[in-house]
Amino acid sequence: MAIARKPMTEYLIEKGYLKPEHLEEALKVQKQSNAKDLGRVLVDLGFVGEREMMEARAQEKGLGFVDLDRHTIDSSAINVVPERIARAHNVIPVRKDGMTLYLAMANDANIEAQDQVRLVSGCRVVPVLAVPGAIEDAIRKYYGGGEDAGNGASQMAQTTVAPTSMRGDISQAIAEARASSDTVIEVEDEAAAQQVAEQAPIIRLANALIQQAIVDRASDIHIEPQQKGVRVRYRIDGVLHETMTVPKNLQAPLISRYKIMADMNIAERRLPQDGRIEIRHAGKDYDLRVSSIPTPWGEKIVMRILDKTSILIGLDKLGFTPENQAEVEELVSQPNGMFLSTGPTGAGKTTTQYSILNKLNSVEKNIITIEDPIEYQLPGIAQVQVNRKAGLTFANALRHFLRQDPDIIMVGEMRDLETAEVAIEASLTGHLVLSTLHTNDAPSAVVRMSDMGVEPYLISATVIGVLAQRLGRRIDPNHMETYEVPAKDLRRFGFKVENPDEMITLHRGVPHEDNRFTGYKGRIGIYELMKMNAEIAELIVRRAPLADIKEAAKANGMKELREDGLIKILAGVTTPEEVMRVVFTAGF
């Protein structure tokens, strides 16, 4: 696999950091002085700043670059590397993600430093480049005068006041909270935990963790009690990242604070609970769906972050190919029938359904939804929340919907035969019904409905289309590179190889602090659209094998998930590895 990276000077000129005439002058000086390092010459002559030079070196080597003047380091990273090693090698850990530690260095060839850090931390070390002087400043800032990692983290929390990142606010809040509670609060000490939970430092810490998650574009926040601390993880672009560790003595008041915010029973710690928090950040409204479960080390809190405006992005922003989008819009413009979205949890089914509703929403149409829960509130649409305690189920609500003169009905999820039968009745009586199912691909949806007990002739008479989907991470468009692979490597995605020696140029992300050193930023939908036709309907009625239905769907123009993934791979939107991660399953 040949990596095509730009030479350092080419990158500097392309970025506008260096003028061509200055490069010519620097080359003359280098030749006259017999200097080995052209980069050093450019910096010494003042043609390029040291920061820009290190960024260019990182790009040339395929490494990440971190601007320590802007990047605020988490305590979870500082905790695992002693100050003496950081000072001895002029290195500093900048982020810890599970058992991977990103280490800022001025010279990635310093293998001794990487080996020592790997031994003391027990982590896989990934070098990233940074300006030498900025590393020295960061060591002074985050370690202070402490001798070991523990003191370093404590000093960091005390000295980091109002930096540019929200993480500075978190560190300050941790320091204030520890100062306000100089004794360890046991998990069982409910009164003490509640008292501290209502103090300003804990309130600031709880708020700062939520605000930082929003800034980081996280979809979920995990507050996880451990034996010696509380691990905080954010799910960003579908992948969990460890963000920091909160001291153990703040566990009880922090969890109590979130339970108070979510209107949950803080005295109940033995049973799972659900709650909801509404917040406003940077002029936008967010809903947090809060869930708590008991674990051996205390209650674990998970908060799902819902941006109330995200469903207004439109179908054209979800990653459909022009052909798929046109076909989806044509299907949902039908006056009656059933259109299903399928896929695993977290595949973006709800976002797709809401985007369809938002497009269909007009004063001429009466749209009603039954959901559990209502994730986003759409103006002009009647949305009903399932309430099983009161006897309001999906099926029950649907029966009443038919008396409300609806044009379009959305059922959050078809979970049982009763709901499916009422939804089918609605589509047969002249309504467009939107709903979701949990299946791996589009053709499997009709088999799933049959397994639920729905008669095949009803499925063929009502289902007009099934959209299977996944969410894959996007390549960071601001930090990407090209590389070549043999065309035969793409056969598994449906690529037709004509020349066995053919090479294909693809794109991948370059690790950078802007993308949390993953090379990815944001997510893109990968889709499989099955449209109903007479042949497929006949196969369903005959209870034909799934393979036959799939072949008929492909003959009718359906592109499989892997084929849609291939389109996005060749377009430089995502990578083969990411498509394999989200699309391919055992036995595929």
Side-chain angles (χ1 to χ4, degrees):
M1 184 181 295
I3 298 174
R5 298 191 180 96
K6 292 183 177 64
M8 176 184 69
T9 52
E10 183 180 333
Y11 178 84
L12 289 168
I13 291 173
E14 183 180 286
K15 282 285 191 178
Y17 298 151
L18 175 67
K19 295 179 179 179
E21 56 267 28
H22 288 163
L23 173 60
E24 291 180 13
E25 186 175 341
L27 287 169
K28 292 177 183 177
V29 172
Q30 181 191 30
K31 186 175 181 179
Q32 293 169 357
S33 61
N34 291 322
K36 294 183 179 180
D37 188 351
L38 176 60
R40 189 72 258 165
V41 173
L42 288 167
V43 172
D44 289 344
L45 290 174
F47 293 156
V48 175
E50 199 160 14
R51 180 204 175 282
E52 289 74 19
M53 178 55 63
M54 291 304 291
E55 181 183 329
R57 289 188 194 276
Q59 189 280 150
E60 186 176 53
K61 294 182 176 185
L63 299 175
F65 170 78
V66 58
D67 184 350
L68 291 171
D69 293 332
R70 294 194 303 119
H71 184 84
T72 302
I73 300 172
D74 299 328
S75 60
S76 60
I78 292 292
N79 282 343
V80 297
V81 178
E83 179 186 355
R84 56 184 171 78
I85 292 180
R87 289 189 183 278
H89 296 285
N90 196 35
V91 299
I92 189 166
V94 293
R95 190 168 75 87
K96 184 174 180 288
D97 185 4
M99 296 308 294
T100 299
L101 188 70
Y102 293 88
L103 186 69
M105 337 175 52
N107 178 15
D108 62 292
N110 188 344
I111 304 301
E112 181 184 354
Q114 295 180 44
D115 286 344
Q116 287 196 21
V117 170
R118 182 167 53 252
L119 286 172
V120 298
S121 68
C123 296
R124 181 175 75 93
V125 174
V126 176
V128 296
L129 295 189
V131 175
I135 297 175
E136 294 172 7
D137 292 341
I139 291 172
R140 285 192 293 270
K141 175 180 178 181
Y142 289 98
Y143 285 102
E147 187 57 35
D148 56 35
N151 291 338
S154 175
Q155 185 71 16
M156 179 203 73
Q158 295 169 11
T159 57
T160 306
V161 181
T164 56
S165 169
M166 284 294 305
R167 288 192 173 85
D169 297 339
I170 294 172
S171 300
Q172 181 68 12
I174 290 174
E176 291 176 357
R178 295 178 74 171
S180 69
S181 177
D182 54 6
T183 59
V184 175
I185 299 172
E186 298 296 335
V187 174
E188 290 78 11
D189 194 346
E190 176 191 323
Q194 183 170 358
Q195 182 181 0
V196 178
E198 294 174 347
Q199 293 178 359
I202 283 291
I203 293 174
R204 280 198 290 272
L205 172 59
N207 291 343
L209 288 173
I210 293 173
Q211 291 166 356
Q212 182 62 52
I214 293 172
V215 169
D216 285 351
R217 302 177 297 104
S219 61
D220 301 85
I221 305 170
H222 291 241
I223 311 294
E224 303 171 319
Q226 309 284 305
Q227 186 174 8
K228 297 182 179 180
V230 181
R231 181 172 68 173
V232 179
R233 293 193 291 173
Y234 294 159
R235 187 177 295 279
I236 301 172
D237 296 336
V239 178
L240 278 171
H241 299 268
E242 184 173 336
T243 303
M244 68 188 65
T245 301
V246 175
K248 187 69 174 178
N249 67 318
L250 299 183
Q251 172 181 317
L254 179 62
I255 289 174
S256 292
R257 179 61 198 164
Y258 283 130
K259 292 175 74 174
I260 290 170
M261 294 171 69
D263 197 23
M264 295 158 70
N265 182 359
I266 68 168
E268 179 56 74
R269 297 186 297 273
R270 299 165 300 174
L271 297 174
Q273 294 188 66
D274 294 316
R276 177 180 175 183
I277 300 172
E278 291 186 338
I279 64 168
R280 187 172 179 83
H281 175 74
K284 296 177 71 175
D285 292 321
Y286 296 87
D287 259 353
L288 275 66
R289 300 302 163 90
V290 186
S291 171
S292 72
I293 59 171
T295 75
W297 305 114
E299 288 177 281
K300 174 179 175 177
I301 299 282
V302 174
M303 291 175 275
R304 166 65 57 90
I305 302 172
L306 301 174
D307 179 355
K308 292 185 177 181
T309 63
S310 67
I311 49 92
L312 303 179
I313 58 177
L315 285 172
D316 58 333
K317 302 293 195 305
L318 297 182
F320 286 109
T321 61
E323 295 80 11
N324 268 354
Q325 183 177 335
E327 289 173 340
V328 168
E329 291 179 353
E330 180 184 355
L331 287 170
V332 299
S333 66
Q334 304 299 315
N336 60 279
M338 189 181 298
F339 183 81
L340 302 173
S341 292
T342 75
T345 300
K349 300 186 298 294
T350 301
T351 300
T352 300
Q353 294 277 343
Y354 273 115
S355 295
I356 291 171
L357 284 182
N358 196 55
K359 179 176 180 59
L360 298 176
N361 192 11
S362 69
V363 70
E364 294 87 9
K365 290 186 174 68
N366 180 21
I367 302 176
I368 311 177
T369 74
I370 174 68
E371 306 169 59
D372 184 22
I374 297 173
E375 295 194 10
Y376 305 101
Q377 294 179 345
L378 287 169
I381 292 178
Q383 296 173 265
V384 179
Q385 167 80 47
V386 166
N387 187 342
R388 290 182 178 82
K389 291 181 180 179
L392 183 60
T393 63
F394 280 109
N396 215 357
L398 274 171
R399 289 191 181 92
H400 289 279
F401 284 3
L402 297 179
R403 305 188 192 109
Q404 288 282 320
D405 185 32
D407 295 296
I408 300 168
I409 298 173
M410 187 186 90
V411 184
E413 183 181 345
M414 260 196 287
R415 301 179 178 178
D416 51 49
L417 175 59
E418 186 181 16
T419 304
E421 286 179 337
V422 182
I424 285 171
E425 181 185 344
S427 65
L428 286 172
T429 53
H431 307 92
L432 177 66
V433 178
L434 309 177
S435 191
T436 67
L437 278 174
H438 288 281
T439 65
N440 284 331
D441 58 20
S444 296
V446 297
V447 177
R448 172 79 179 102
M449 292 180 70
S450 181
D451 289 344
M452 288 167 58
V454 180
E455 290 295 334
Y457 74 91
L458 291 175
I459 299 172
S460 64
T462 55
V463 174
I464 57 175
V466 182
L467 180 72
Q469 62 183 86
R470 300 288 191 278
L471 284 178
R473 290 180 292 177
R474 282 179 179 267
I475 297 170
D476 184 348
N478 297 318
H479 303 283
M480 61 194 300
E481 65 185 10
T482 59
Y483 68 104
E484 291 188 335
V485 298
K488 61 184 180 181
D489 287 359
L490 299 179
R491 278 178 176 159
R492 69 184 66 185
F493 302 100
F495 187 80
K496 292 180 174 56
V497 179
E498 297 178 359
N499 178 2
D501 298 324
E502 182 184 1
M503 300 295 289
I504 301 293
T505 299
L506 303 179
H507 291 78
R508 65 183 173 194
V510 175
H512 192 276
E513 63 176 336
D514 289 348
N515 53 52
R516 299 179 64 86
F517 305 105
T518 64
Y520 298 100
K521 194 169 186 179
R523 289 193 285 177
I524 186 75
I526 299 173
Y527 301 98
E528 176 179 285
L529 178 62
M530 182 182 80
K531 299 177 295 179
M532 188 65 70
N533 66 2
E535 182 184 357
I536 297 173
E538 183 185 348
L539 290 171
I540 293 170
V541 171
R542 289 198 287 108
R543 298 182 185 268
L546 177 61
D548 292 350
I549 297 174
K550 183 177 291 189
E551 285 303 314
K554 290 171 67 175
N556 194 36
M558 182 186 82
K559 283 187 171 61
E560 295 181 81
L561 286 165
R562 59 179 182 147
E563 294 174 304
D564 193 56
L566 176 64
I567 293 172
K568 290 164 174 78
I569 291 169
L570 297 176
V573 176
T574 190
T575 64
E577 295 77 14
E578 187 63 11
V579 174
M580 287 185 65
R581 183 181 73 86
V582 300
V583 170
F584 285 66
T585 56
F588 188 92

